[in-house]
Amino acid sequence: MKMFFVLVAGFAAATALAGDGFSVAYPEGYRDWRHVKSMELKPGHPLYESFGGLHHIYANSKAVKGYKSGKFQDGAMIVFDLLEAKNEENALVEGKRKVLGVMARDAKRYPETGGWGFEGFAGGDPAKPVVGKNAVKVCFECHASQRGNNYLFSSLRD
Amino acid sequence: MKMFFVLVAGFAAATALAGDGFSVAYPEGYRDWRHVKSMELKPGHPLYESFGGLHHIYANSKAVKGYKSGKFQDGAMIVFDLLEAKNEENALVEGKRKVLGVMARDAKRYPETGGWGFEGFAGGDPAKPVVGKNAVKVCFECHASQRGNNYLFSSLRD
């Protein structure tokens, strides 16, 4: 997985990340995963500055099992796909991708962040990871509040 | 709006649909289909009365091929999944399902509606179809405007 990522990205920042024990691969094919739920953070929301816009949550099959069982196995991956929320003629329409967030379950590899690896890709670009070694500060400090829900803010709905 | 009236008032007429040549089956498993795109119709939008809220579009694998190739084969199915848009602390969150709309491709069976069968399920309940024989009036009169796009308002995005 790591090698695939490096080969595809072929990018200075990416190669620097490989082997650091923190990097999370770009979630290839996530648009075919299960759409879990969606939400728009609007102006005035505490997280608007970072995550304002319309986001969709996607889960791979292992993550779907995790949502259902309450226990996430290694390999479970969850995507936070944040798009601009544009207002057009009294409708909210999707704009450009702002960031693609990923949580990848690997209990042994990510002990400091609840067994989840975190990464974000600016604009959804696999060559632009923005979290790297800063996952504790930029991701987990907030997700830690969700310890009782496997560190997730989302849950599966019908 | 006429469309809204028919959607709401059509419950009784819709229960005896099986075998009438018009009925479209409930799209079992559609939540595992490809999430195509989302949109919120807000107050002031011309279709707000009928379709106000946050909707997600899902496509089965044949429909995904159709979006990509521009030609939809029989068996392609597209879902319009409309949820209440609730405003909670400066966030739009998903509420109850209002209606589940379905388009099912069968060129020979649905000649009067562009080769697509249309149905809607009130509250997403498979036992509550609300369109039945009224597809021309309550669905196609609007979708006909999209003839150049296979009668669809949606298109596939990344």
Side-chain angles (χ1 to χ4, degrees), chain B residues 9-75:
Chain B
F11 289 179
T15 47
L17 286 174
D20 62 4
F22 291 94
S23 58
V24 174
Y26 179 85
E28 294 290 344
Y30 77 92
R31 286 289 283 111
D32 289 316
W33 296 357
R34 163 81 173 227
H35 170 234
V36 175
K37 55 164 284 186
S38 299
M39 187 175 181
E40 181 200 0
L41 303 192
K42 305 181 182 188
H45 190 280
L47 294 175
Y48 180 76
E49 201 173 341
S50 300
F51 300 123
L54 180 66
H55 69 253
H56 304 300
I57 304 293
Y58 300 97
N60 70 0
S61 57
K62 284 189 176 177
V64 170
K65 289 179 186 169
Y67 277 117
K68 292 178 178 174
S69 70
K71 187 170 170 54
F72 287 81
Q73 296 185 329
D74 287 353

Side-chain angles (χ1 to χ4, degrees), chain A residues 136-151:
Chain A
V136 170
K137 193 164 199 68
V138 303
C139 303
F140 195 65
E141 281 187 1
C142 195
H143 278 267
S145 68
Q146 301 300 308
R147 184 174 178 175
N149 190 36
N150 292 293
Y151 301 103

